[in-house]
Amino acid sequence: MKIAVLPGDGIGPEIVAQAVRVLEVLTSDGMKFELETALLGGCAVDATGNPFPEETRKLAIEADALLLGAVGGSQYDELPREKRPERGLLSIRKDLNLFANLRPVMLYSELEDASTLKPEVISGLDILIIRELTGDIYFGEPRGIKLHDDQRLGFNTMIYSEAEIYRIAHVAFRVARKRNKKLCSVDKMNVLECSQLWRDVVIEVSQEYRDVELSHMLVDNAAMQLVLEPKQFDVIVTGNMFGDILSDEASMLTGSIGMLPSASLDDKNKGLYEPIHGSAPDIAGKNIANPLATILSVAMMLRYTFNHEEAAVRIENSVKKVLAQNYRTRDICEPGMKEIGTAEMGDAVLKNL
Ligand code: IPM
Ligand code: MG
C-alpha cells in the first residue's frame, strides 16, 4: 500500500507527523505501507516555484492513497493565482479526478460542551456531507478580471455537466444506502440554471435508488437548518462551492474544526485524505495544533481506499478513548480537562491503539 505523504504548510507538518506515527504502529502490527514524502503548496512554491511540482505529480499518480496536512499562508497572497498554494491543492484534486469529497460531521459525546450550540441540539450528531470537488465555479471557464467600459469586471462561471452530476449523485445514493437511507440534495434551484440541472439529474438518479428517501433544500435554508436542527440530516450532497461553505459551518457543530477528517475519492477509491481545516499559520510550530482530524483521516484512508474497516475502527476507538481520558488540545479544551500539545496527543492516541 503506497502512500504519498504531503505535509504542506503551517501546522501541516506537525499534524501529519502524528498521523504517520499511527501508520507506523499499524506497520509494526503487520500491515505493509510504503510512505514517500513530497512537496505541495507553499513549501513547494518556496522550493521549486510551483505549488504542485512535477515530482509530486508523479508520486501522486503512482500512490494508492495520499495523506495531506494543509496548504496556504498569507505570505503567498500577492503571488499570481497559478503560483499560490491553494492552486496546488485544486490541481491535485482535478488531475487525479478526486471528484467525491466525503466530510463526516460527527460529534464525540465527550465534546458536547465544546460546541457553541446547546448540547440537546447536537448530541448524537452524525452527518455526512458529500461535496462535488472537481467542478462548479471553482473550475468553470471563462474566469478572470477584465477591463470593460473603463471599469474592471471580475467573473467566474458556475457550470456542471450532467455527467458530473450523475457520478456524484450515484456516490451519494450508494453511501446513503449504507447509512440511514436519507439523502438531502442542496442547491439554489430558485435562482440558478446550473442548480436546476443539478436537481433534475439528482431526481433522475433517484429512480435507481427507490429505497433511499431523497429530499431537496435550497442552500440558504440549508445553512440555517444546519444550526437550527442539524440532526434532521443524514447524508447531504451538494456542489463544490456550497459544499465548501456548508462543511465549514457544519464543523462547528462538533466543537472544533480540528476534529474533522475528509476523503476525496476518484471512481476507483484512490483517495486524498486530509483534515478539513487549513494551515493555521498563527499556531504553526507551537505544538498546540489538534492532530486528531489528520489521524481520523488515516482511519478514513484505511476504510475507503484499503478496505481495512477493522483498522479504521481501531483508530477511531483510540481517539474516543483519548477524549474519554479527558486529554484535549487547546482548541477543544474546557475547564477540568487536561490540556496537552500536538505530539502528546499523538502519544495518547498511540497508547490507546
Ligand atoms: C477546503 C478548502 C479549499 C477549498 C481551499 C484551501 C482551496 O477551503 O478544502 O475546503 O476551497 O476547497
Ligand atoms: Mg473550505
Side-chain angles (χ1 to χ4, degrees):
M1 298 179 272
K2 178 150 185 165
I3 303 174
V5 180
L6 312 167
D9 310 320
I11 58 172
E14 298 164 68
I15 53 179
V16 165
Q18 301 313 314
V20 166
R21 292 175 72 199
V22 169
L23 285 169
E24 284 164 359
V25 169
L26 298 176
T27 304
S28 64
D29 288 359
M31 292 173 103
K32 285 206 174 68
F33 301 107
E34 192 191 325
L35 305 187
E36 203 176 320
T37 303
L39 299 172
L40 183 81
C43 58
V45 173
D46 293 340
T48 72
N50 177 355
F52 184 33
E54 192 45 40
E55 228 181 289
T56 304
R57 194 164 176 275
K58 264 199 211 124
L59 174 66
I61 289 170
E62 244 174 64
D64 302 303
L66 301 95
L67 178 64
L68 170 65
V71 301
S74 55
Q75 70 269 43
Y76 306 105
D77 286 353
E78 303 300 319
L79 289 176
R81 206 153 273 281
E82 68 279 5
K83 296 235 154 115
R84 291 191 204 158
E86 291 77 12
R87 180 57 69 87
L89 183 57
L90 296 175
S91 304
I92 201 170
R93 288 172 178 170
K94 187 78 174 171
D95 283 13
L96 298 180
N97 199 24
L98 305 170
F99 67 91
N101 183 212
L102 275 45
R103 297 190 162 184
V105 180
M106 213 192 83
L107 178 70
Y108 289 91
S109 54
E110 291 79 10
L111 296 183
E112 272 173 18
D113 296 319
S115 173
T116 51
L117 277 88
K118 296 194 185 93
E120 63 266 29
V121 175
I122 51 171
S123 75
L125 184 78
D126 182 0
I127 306 179
L128 178 63
I129 297 182
I130 300 184
R131 169 188 175 196
E132 199 290 328
L133 202 58
T134 53
D136 202 356
I137 194 164
Y138 268 57
F139 296 94
E141 300 279 349
R143 63 190 297 158
I145 300 175
K146 69 174 179 193
L147 207 59
H148 182 80
D149 286 346
D150 284 340
Q151 67 163 335
R152 287 169 300 162
L153 292 183
F155 55 100
N156 290 87
T157 303
M158 179 177 263
I159 181 165
Y160 267 120
S161 70
E162 57 179 345
E164 287 175 310
I165 306 170
Y166 278 124
R167 65 179 183 176
I168 193 69
H170 277 290
V171 170
F173 278 106
R174 281 201 300 270
V175 168
R177 216 171 226 178
K178 285 200 194 151
R179 291 174 49 109
N180 292 331
K181 298 188 163 52
K182 261 180 67 182
L183 176 63
C184 179
S185 170
V186 172
D187 60 38
K188 187 69 183 172
M189 181 277 260
N190 54 347
V191 179
L192 305 171
E193 285 77 5
C194 186
S195 278
Q196 179 67 60
L197 181 69
W198 177 280
R199 190 173 289 206
D200 293 347
V201 172
V202 170
I203 290 172
E204 274 171 55
V205 174
S206 73
Q207 305 306 314
E208 292 175 47
Y209 302 87
R210 290 181 185 275
D211 52 325
V212 176
E213 181 196 321
L214 172 66
S215 60
H216 304 273
M217 201 178 274
L218 298 173
V219 63
D220 49 349
N221 185 27
M224 184 181 79
Q225 296 295 334
L226 268 174
V227 285
L228 181 71
E229 203 192 322
K231 283 187 270 183
Q232 70 184 283
F233 296 107
D234 189 47
V235 180
I236 293 175
V237 65
T238 190
N240 203 346
M241 187 162 69
F242 298 156
D244 178 45
I245 299 167
L246 292 180
S247 61
D248 263 30
E249 184 194 7
S251 73
M252 274 300 130
L253 303 169
T254 71
S256 171
I257 198 168
M259 294 299 298
L260 295 203
S262 80
S264 307
L265 306 173
D266 72 2
D267 47 7
K268 296 186 191 71
N269 289 338
K270 174 173 181 154
L272 168 74
Y273 297 84
E274 57 174 320
I276 86 154
H277 60 69
S279 57
D282 52 321
I283 59 165
K286 297 188 180 153
N287 194 43
I288 53 179
N290 185 349
L292 292 178
T294 318
I295 290 172
L296 291 167
S297 297
V298 169
M300 289 190 86
M301 177 189 291
L302 290 159
R303 171 171 298 124
Y304 289 105
T305 293
F306 297 131
N307 258 315
H308 270 291
E309 179 65 22
E310 226 172 277
V313 171
R314 196 175 149 201
I315 295 172
E316 288 162 352
N317 283 342
S318 65
V319 168
K320 270 185 215 147
K321 279 192 207 141
V322 167
L323 295 174
Q325 291 157 359
N326 295 339
Y327 291 118
R328 302 283 189 276
T329 42
R330 184 172 299 179
D331 55 311
I332 49 175
C333 200
E334 292 160 273
M337 300 289 133
K338 299 172 230 173
E339 186 178 324
I340 56 174
T342 310
E344 294 69 38
M345 187 52 101
D347 294 342
V349 171
L350 293 199
K351 212 178 268 166
N352 285 290
L353 205 60

